[in-house]
Amino acid sequence: MPRLTVAQAIVTFLARQFSERDGARRRLIPACFGIFGHGNVAGIGEALASAEVDLPYHLCRTEQGMVHTAAAYARMTDRLSTLACTTSIGPGATNLVTGAAGATINRLPVLLLPGDIFATRVTNPVLQELEDPRSYDVSVTDALRPVSRYWDRINRPEQLPAALLAAMRVLTDPVETGAVTLALPQDVQAEAYDWPAELFADRVWHVPRPRPDAAAVDRAAAVVTAARRPLLVAGGGVIYSGAGEALRSFAEAYGVPVAETQAGKGALPHDHPLALGAVGVSGTTAANEIAAGADLVIGVGTRYSDFTTASGTLFGAEARFVNLNITGFDAAKLSGAQLVGDARECLSALDAACAGWGSEPAYRASVTELKGRWARVVERARHAEPDARPTQTAVIGAVNDAAGPRDVVVCAAGSMPGDLHRLWRSADPKSYHVEYGYSCMGYEIAGGIGVKLAAPEREVFVLVGDGSYLMLPSELATAVADGVKLVVVLVDNQGFASIGRLSESVGARRLGTAYLDRGGAPLPVDLGANAASLGAELIRVSTMNQLRAALATAKRAQRTTVVHVRTDRFETGPDGGAWWDVPVAEVSSTAEARTARAGYEAGRKDRHPRLRPA
């Protein structure tokens, strides 16, 4: 029986975990990211330094950033692999909360190993301990409970084996997955124990492809074959399942147009005749018009967020829903007929059960016409004169043109995700990586690192606005230190464009959405210089010609390069015409707010309750 500390046992165990799906095996936890402090340096830190197993360590600059990196890595590997994240106690642990929430909301596995207070309590209160008069067992790591799919505190070595196995089960379960937290009291981390040798044997976690119930397939097929104007909404589950070919086969066989959520973008190549592109609040006019008239919505691997459904107003009152999802929780939404199982298996089963059915020929013709009309809108939005100051939509077009078909664009919060969702042309299911389940500012650069680590053969373009950049620029130093090459396009409009427009629309007069001093003058802040100070190569551009040349130079570069481009926060891209429920003040002294409230009242009248059984 090997005698190891708890921390050494964790490191040894993690290095020998594997996932397998469809016969392909890979490391489940191939590396550990972290920042050391007094709560983990003598435990996990010593274990990594002395480890006789292969578990490389990477130093991040922020705890939140390391979780974003792990989540992006997991998404890029279809949730079959992720990274461990170790922190000290106190702020190191609480800084994990935002990233953990994003991972769990997006159904992405990440493993968190925060340090914790002394289990023995002999020196209470220790540095950074939260003293709660209700119980000595309360710690700041308890803040991770609501954002974790599995949470445990290891107070004794004997508790570790069961906790490790439970953690791996959740990480590899496509139904339950999300953030997993093992809180590690710092004294327990350093405690030695005689472990059963079996704990450290290679262990393979088989990721299943659950098949749908046959009776459920028949029920769903009955709903589908009664429809004449169907629409398929592809979510992230299509991509995680590798169900692209099954989706294409189904759409082509029955003439079903396909719209995409943020997580599902790229499920069907943008130039496919049945690909309508983005749907919902950040959707295209083509997809949204078809959605409004559809008598059937087939949701595949989507959780139907308010952006997808336009807060319940997008789909017509008579539309019926058939939901294919790995989780019964999501499949049951909108009173849909439920097909619970792997997306690829569900699509294949439904395909076989719908033989002889198809959409109306006139309906298919309308899809072609609407798709062509939107394509012309996209061309106008992406166009800019060579010597003109770039607009945000023109920047997106230039990056799209510079990127190869397998290169990846990474983005998260602000106005760019909406413009990207509508305008980006995806040829590959992994070429579009926008975190919008949590819409987390600061995700972009850290997420780009995770994408590049998971797919080093792909060029990674990180699109980040100035507001989001200022939230978490420090991970540029991590990219530089680890030799992770990114092309970062820093779009600087001196404020919050998205929230500024939203503020104006609800009568809040764009308060607090511009980077100005108290006198109303622009702040003398140089974000390009900041990026250069963190070790990145810097290229400044002011025209479209310069931007295109800079992107070509950055793509050829061997190290992380930041292209700094100024745009106008008041310029807007094309709109898809969908409504979003953001409550407006019911009473106000301002005319703007009163007008906005009237519009709000009108908009929410189109919401449908979706209570009719499928």
Side-chain angles (χ1 to χ4, degrees), residues 38-81:
H38 71 281
N40 65 339
V41 67
I44 294 291
E46 187 281 332
L48 288 166
S50 65
E52 297 179 358
V53 293
D54 180 24
L55 191 68
Y57 172 76
H58 299 264
L59 170 64
C60 289
R61 272 66 191 173
T62 64
E63 292 87 357
Q64 177 182 327
M66 73 173 79
V67 189
H68 293 328
T69 297
Y73 188 96
R75 175 172 170 176
M76 202 64 189
T77 59
D78 291 329
R79 307 190 295 193
L80 298 172
S81 189

Side-chain angles (χ1 to χ4, degrees), residues 406-408 452 457-461 485 487 554-555 557:
R406 285 177 50 80
D407 294 341
V408 187
K452 187 67 174 180
E457 72 283 1
R458 297 178 185 246
E459 201 72 50
V460 178
F461 291 84
K485 188 279 179 87
V487 177
K555 192 171 180 179

